[in-house]
Amino acid sequence: RRQAAAVSKSLDRALGHQPDPRLHFAQPARYRARLPLLVPTERNDTLMFLVRRLLPGLTGWLAARHAGVDRFELVLEHEGRHPLTRLQIICAAPCRDEAAFALLLDEHLGRQAFPGPVDALAIEADNPVELAPLATDLFDDSGLQRESAQLLLARLRARLGDEAIRAVSPLADHRPERAWHPVAPGKPQAPVELVDAPRPLWLLAAPKLLTHPERLRLVDGPERIESGWWDDHDVRRDYFVALTHEGGRWWIFRELEPPRDWYLHGFFA
């Protein structure tokens, strides 16, 4: 009655009163290339030489689709009944650069222990992502710099592990030791209003008791911080910027509670 043509047509197709043609199912794009070895080996240099023979096929498959991948797998088949070894190669961003793939594979193979000699290799990749060309000036190399930084991040992850690479993000907390937290590099963060007061780049893991605070010269402060009563980490401190006889610039504080000791909490220089 309200001329809902779209609803009427949907009901007619569901009831079979109108044709309802369907698109053919298209399988997700997936790449796999396998290379058997004439002689089983555990040598990293030999394996890397053979892996390089598989990479042109992967990059060519991606180039034909104008796409890249942010991860792929190297599968190692071992002699005997040993289970497969699967190395997941994670890139910092989708790409199809053969040299970058080779660098990451070299890092993974260099720290991998094999349960037995390898007698076949395979590379598997799926979910290609369309790569848009970078729009830059003729002599602009900023895109190259970004790619180099992403490749460095991917190599560090491959060498040290994902948990070893972290960035620092601020938190909305006045307590210096609670005003930051580690995050994954490149992860977008909610904006935080930062304190408009001096903060050292190097913050100690725990404040260090000062035995001779009278030897320091106070040049800025006090900045009072009282916070944390709700989570059993209550702080009541007066912070100062102090200079040492050697020219060092320190961030120190004095407890407001007895015995009102002085502590070193960070270094400006």
Side-chain angles (χ1 to χ4, degrees):
R1 291 195 302 269
R2 297 180 181 179
Q3 299 179 353
V7 177
S8 300
K9 290 180 179 179
S10 298
L11 291 174
D12 288 342
R13 288 194 296 267
L15 296 173
H17 298 157
Q18 285 191 7
D20 187 20
R22 295 286 173 172
L23 297 175
H24 291 288
F25 173 73
Q27 293 185 350
R30 181 175 177 81
Y31 177 84
R32 188 177 193 275
R34 182 177 180 273
L35 178 65
L37 277 64
L38 296 177
V39 178
T41 182
E42 292 182 281
R43 290 176 56 90
N44 288 338
D45 54 350
T46 303
L47 293 175
M48 195 62 212
F49 173 79
L50 297 171
V51 165
R52 289 180 183 274
R53 295 181 55 186
L54 295 175
L55 289 179
L58 173 61
T59 55
W61 179 75
L62 293 171
R65 290 160 175 78
H66 303 284
V69 289
D70 59 357
R71 64 187 61 208
F72 62 96
E73 279 192 341
L74 174 65
V75 183
L76 306 175
E77 302 176 17
H78 301 283
E79 190 178 30
R81 297 185 177 181
H82 296 293
L84 299 177
T85 298
R86 290 184 172 271
L87 302 180
Q88 189 173 66
I89 314 302
I90 301 178
C91 309
C95 72
R96 58 170 180 265
D97 186 357
E98 183 179 336
F101 290 163
L103 283 174
L104 297 178
L105 284 164
D106 194 21
E107 294 288 352
H108 280 273
L109 286 175
R111 65 183 184 92
Q112 182 67 34
F114 304 118
V118 178
D119 61 5
L121 300 168
I123 283 183
E124 299 178 357
D126 55 11
N127 298 323
V129 179
E130 183 178 356
L131 290 182
L134 295 175
T136 60
D137 296 334
L138 179 61
F139 300 105
D140 184 14
D141 62 349
S142 58
L144 179 61
Q145 294 173 359
R146 287 194 297 271
E147 291 179 1
S148 299
Q150 292 171 351
L151 179 57
L152 173 61
L153 180 60
R155 292 187 66 185
L156 289 174
R157 281 174 169 166
R159 181 174 299 183
L160 305 176
D162 290 338
E163 297 300 323
I165 309 301
R166 286 292 180 265
V168 176
S169 179
L171 287 176
D173 199 315
H174 290 285
R175 295 166 294 180
E177 55 267 41
R178 302 294 181 93
W180 62 276
H181 68 136
V183 297
K187 183 179 180 181
Q189 299 296 315
V192 175
E193 185 176 354
L194 301 178
V195 178
D196 186 16
R199 290 292 183 267
L201 183 62
W202 182 0
L203 192 72
L204 298 181
K208 181 180 178 181
L209 179 65
L210 292 173
T211 56
H212 299 286
E214 67 278 0
R215 299 179 182 177
L216 302 174
R217 181 164 63 92
L218 304 181
V219 296
D220 195 8
E223 176 194 354
R224 179 158 296 184
I225 296 180
E226 295 189 52
S227 185
W229 54 267
W230 57 87
D231 62 1
D232 296 327
H233 188 69
D234 191 10
V235 300
R236 300 182 68 243
R237 306 166 179 167
D238 278 342
Y239 277 88
F240 300 84
V241 178
L243 292 180
T244 68
H245 292 294
E246 295 80 13
R249 194 176 182 89
W250 293 1
W251 202 42
I252 65 174
F253 68 83
R254 188 179 190 185
E255 291 279 10
L256 297 179
E257 300 292 343
R260 295 174 59 82
D261 289 326
W262 290 84
Y263 291 85
L264 169 65
H265 207 173
F267 298 98
F268 290 96

